[in-house]
Amino acid sequence: MSNLIRSIRDRYACLSKARRATIWITLCSFLQRGLSFITVPIFTRLLTTSEYGSFSVYTSWQSVAAYVVTLGVTYGGFNNGMMRYKDDREGYTTSVMGLVLAMGAFWLLLGTVFSEQASVLTGMPLVLVALMFCETVSKAIYEIWTSRMRFDFEYKKLVAVSVLQTVLVPAVGVAFVVMASDKVLARVLGFVVVESVFGILLAGAMLKKSRRIFCAKYWKYTLLFNIPLLPHYLSQVLLSSADRIIIGDMCSPADAGIYSIAYSAGMVMMLLVSSLNATVNPWLYRKMDAKEYDRVNKIGVAILVMLAAAILIMDGFAPTIVAILAPGEYSDAMYLVPVVAASVFFIYLYLFCSNIEFFYERTSVAMVASVIAAVLNVVLNLIFIPRFGYAAAGYVTLACYVVLGVTHFLFAQRVAIERAGRPILNGRFIGLLSVGMLIASIAFSAIYPYPIARYLVTLAIVVVGVWKRKVIIEKAKEVLS
C-alpha cells in the first residue's frame, strides 16, 4: 500500500502545472456537483413540494438570465480575449467585469421600471426578480475570476475558493430556511448572500491588479464575439430549464417541484458523461489525427454500450434514489426518472459526434441543431403539458435530446465521409442500441410496483457487466493512456 501511495505521489510530482490543474479542476467540479446533489434531500424535507417547486422555477429563470443579462461573456471568448490582448490581460479581465456590471445595472433598472411586467412574465414577486439579477451579476464576476484562474493554471486558489463557496451556500441556505417563515425567499437569499460576498471579494482582488473597468476596444470585441453565440447559449439553457418554467406556470409549483426531483435523479448520470467527454476528447483527437477511424468507432460504440447499461442500472434503483432525495410527497417522480435518464445517452451521443465535427472545424451545425431542439422543446411543452400534465415534460425532454443526438450523428457521419472518405461510426449498431435502450429504459417504470422483478433485472445487467469486465477495463485503459 505504501509503495502504491509513493508511486502515485512520484507520478504526480512529474506532472506539469497544466496537467495538475486539469486533475484538480476536474475533481473540484465533481465535488461541487456531488455536494449540490447530496444537499437535495435536506431541502426537500425543509420545504413543501410547492416551495421546492417555486425555488426550482427561480433557478430555471436565473439560468436564462445568466445569458440574457450578461450575454454569456464569461463563457465564450474569454480565453480568446486573453490570447488576443496578452499584453494587458489584467486590464482585459477587469474590463469584462466592468461590462458585466454595466449590463447587470441596466437590466436591474429595466426590471424595476417594468416591475409589474417582469413579475407577470416570470411568475415571481419583484423581490425575487431583483435578487435574480443580483445573483446573475455575482455569479458572472465569480466566473470571470475562475476563468482567469483556469487560464493561468492557478488551481490551488481556484479549488480553495470553489470548495469554500460550495460548502457555504447550502450551509447558509439551511440556516436561513430554518429561521424564516418565507422559505422560498430564504432559500434564494442563501445563494445570493454567499455569492454576492464572494463576488465583492473577488472583484476587489481583480481590481487590485487593474482598475480598468471600461475600455471601448475590449467591450466591443467581447460583445461582437458573444452576441452571435447567444442563440446557441440560450437554446442550451432552454433545453434544460424551459420545462420547469412552463410547468410552474401552467400546472403548479408543487408539480414543478416533483418534476425537478425526477430531473435531478435522471440527470445524475451527467456526472459520468461530463467526465467521460473530458477524458475521451483528447484521445479522440489523437486517433482522428492518426486516421485510426476503426479504433474511434470501436471505443465510441463500447462507451455507448457501457453508458446504456449504466443508465439501465440506475433505472433499477430509481425508486430508492427518489426516496433518498425526497419524502413521500415526491414519490410519483420515480416514474419519470427512466425517461429523463434515457436523455443522457443522447446527450453523450451529441457530445461525441460534435467532437468529430469540431475536429474537422465544422461548428455551424452545433448552433443550428441546438436552436432547433430548443424551439421544439418549448413548442412541444406548450402543447402537451396543458393536456397531459407535468409528466409530458419528461417525454418532451427525451424527444428533443433524441433530435439533438441524431442530428449531430448524421452530420458527423456526413462530414467524415467528405473529409475522411468514410463514415466513422457504425450507424446500424448505434441505431439498434439507441432504440433498444429507449424501449428498455422507458419500460423499466412498468416493473416499479414489483420490487423483486426490478432487482432481478438490475442484477442481470450487473452480472453481464461483471462478466465483461475485462473488455471494459481494456477499453478504459486505451482511452486513459
Side-chain angles (χ1 to χ4, degrees):
M1 186 66 180
S2 59
N3 290 334
L4 177 61
I5 294 172
R6 190 180 302 110
S7 174
I8 294 172
R9 189 175 59 218
D10 292 341
R11 291 182 66 181
Y12 177 78
C14 295
L15 293 176
S16 66
K17 189 176 182 181
R19 293 294 296 274
R20 292 184 190 183
T22 301
I23 292 170
W24 281 105
I25 290 169
T26 302
L27 289 173
C28 184
S29 177
F30 259 107
L31 179 62
Q32 286 177 296
R33 294 186 184 189
L35 281 174
S36 177
F37 187 75
I38 289 169
T39 57
V40 169
I42 299 172
F43 289 104
T44 53
R45 286 161 175 82
L46 290 175
L47 305 173
T48 65
T49 52
S50 180
E51 289 168 340
Y52 190 81
S54 295
F55 175 71
S56 299
V57 171
Y58 167 85
T59 57
S60 297
W61 274 113
Q62 197 282 318
S63 299
V64 175
Y67 292 100
V68 174
V69 174
T70 70
L71 302 178
V73 299
T74 61
Y75 301 101
F78 185 83
N79 286 345
N80 299 68
M82 287 284 98
M83 296 303 297
R84 188 183 185 93
Y85 303 112
K86 53 188 168 185
D87 294 330
D88 186 26
R89 285 172 176 164
E90 304 300 343
Y92 179 77
T93 301
T94 52
S95 184
V96 172
M97 183 179 70
L99 178 58
V100 165
L101 290 170
M103 291 188 291
F106 169 76
W107 278 97
L108 183 58
L109 177 63
L110 200 66
T112 304
V113 173
F114 299 99
S115 57
E116 186 176 340
Q117 292 88 339
S119 291
V120 171
L121 174 65
T122 61
M124 300 188 300
L126 181 59
V127 64
L128 289 185
V129 175
L131 288 172
M132 178 181 71
F133 289 129
C134 292
E135 182 181 1
T136 298
V137 172
S138 299
K139 271 189 171 180
I141 293 172
Y142 171 79
E143 289 293 340
I144 291 169
W145 183 83
T146 56
S147 295
R148 183 60 196 273
M149 292 299 104
R150 289 190 189 99
F151 186 86
D152 294 335
F153 303 124
E154 295 290 346
Y155 60 92
K156 292 180 181 178
K157 294 178 183 178
L158 174 59
V159 170
V161 171
S162 298
V163 170
L164 183 60
Q165 179 174 291
T166 302
V167 171
L168 284 177
V169 166
V172 173
V174 169
F176 282 8
V177 169
V178 169
M179 293 186 295
S181 55
D182 188 339
K183 297 189 181 299
V184 176
L185 177 60
R187 181 71 180 105
V188 172
L189 279 171
F191 273 91
V192 177
V193 169
V194 174
E195 288 171 351
S196 296
V197 170
F198 274 83
I200 292 168
L201 293 174
L202 295 175
M206 289 185 283
L207 287 170
K208 281 183 179 180
K209 297 180 179 180
S210 171
R211 296 186 180 277
R212 196 175 191 180
I213 62 172
F214 173 75
C215 176
K217 180 174 68 173
Y218 296 164
W219 283 27
K220 180 181 178 181
Y221 170 77
T222 303
L223 290 171
L224 290 178
F225 190 98
N226 284 277
I227 288 173
L229 293 172
L230 191 58
H232 175 65
Y233 290 146
L234 278 176
S235 60
Q236 290 292 313
V237 77
L238 284 174
L239 264 174
S240 61
S241 303
D243 42 15
R244 275 158 285 185
I245 292 172
I246 296 172
I247 291 169
D249 182 55
M250 293 189 164
C251 298
S252 69
D255 287 340
I258 295 171
Y259 179 77
S260 293
I261 291 299
Y263 194 89
S264 296
M267 286 291 174
V268 71
M269 293 301 297
M270 279 303 298
L271 282 169
L272 173 63
V273 164
S274 298
S275 178
L276 267 176
N277 187 55
T279 304
V280 169
N281 199 24
W283 173 90
L284 174 66
Y285 269 60
R286 289 196 302 270
K287 295 300 177 184
M288 292 290 290
D289 188 56
K291 296 180 171 46
E292 296 182 27
Y293 305 126
D294 288 335
R295 294 306 304 160
V296 171
N297 174 60
K298 287 180 181 178
I299 295 296
V301 167
I303 291 172
L304 287 171
V305 170
M306 288 185 281
L307 181 59
I311 289 170
L312 293 177
I313 290 171
M314 200 208 72
D315 289 345
F317 292 101
T320 306
I321 294 171
V322 171
I324 292 171
L325 286 177
E329 302 95 293
Y330 296 84
S331 59
D332 286 346
M334 67 181 177
Y335 294 103
L336 276 181
V337 172
V339 180
V340 176
S343 304
V344 177
F345 178 90
F346 294 95
I347 292 173
Y348 185 75
L349 179 63
Y350 140 66
L351 291 171
F352 191 88
C353 292
S354 64
N355 288 333
I356 295 174
E357 296 160 20
F358 293 156
F359 175 82
Y360 289 119
E361 298 182 353
R362 298 288 295 274
T363 58
S364 58
V365 74
M367 184 180 296
V368 175
S370 297
V371 170
I372 290 172
V375 171
L376 191 64
N377 181 275
V378 173
V379 171
L380 292 179
N381 274 320
L382 289 172
I383 292 172
F384 292 111
I385 288 176
R387 296 184 183 182
F388 302 104
Y390 71 88
Y395 292 92
V396 168
T397 295
L398 174 58
C400 292
Y401 279 119
V402 168
V403 169
L404 190 65
V406 171
T407 301
H408 277 279
F409 172 79
L410 294 174
F411 189 78
Q413 294 285 77
R414 192 179 80 184
V415 170
I417 291 171
E418 291 174 1
R419 301 292 293 274
R422 51 161 287 180
I424 300 294
L425 299 170
N426 186 332
R428 183 173 181 178
F429 182 85
I430 291 175
L432 291 172
L433 175 66
S434 301
V435 172
M437 190 279 306
L438 267 176
I439 294 172
S441 189
I442 294 173
F444 228 117
S445 59
I447 61 174
Y448 283 166
Y450 312 102
I452 295 177
R454 173 164 59 88
Y455 286 126
L456 285 174
V457 172
T458 306
L459 180 62
I461 299 170
V462 172
V463 168
V464 172
V466 173
W467 178 40
K468 294 288 185 180
R469 68 187 182 279
K470 291 183 179 179
V471 176
I472 295 171
I473 293 170
E474 180 187 333
K475 304 291 185 187
K477 281 183 177 178
E478 179 176 347
V479 173
L480 292 173
S481 64

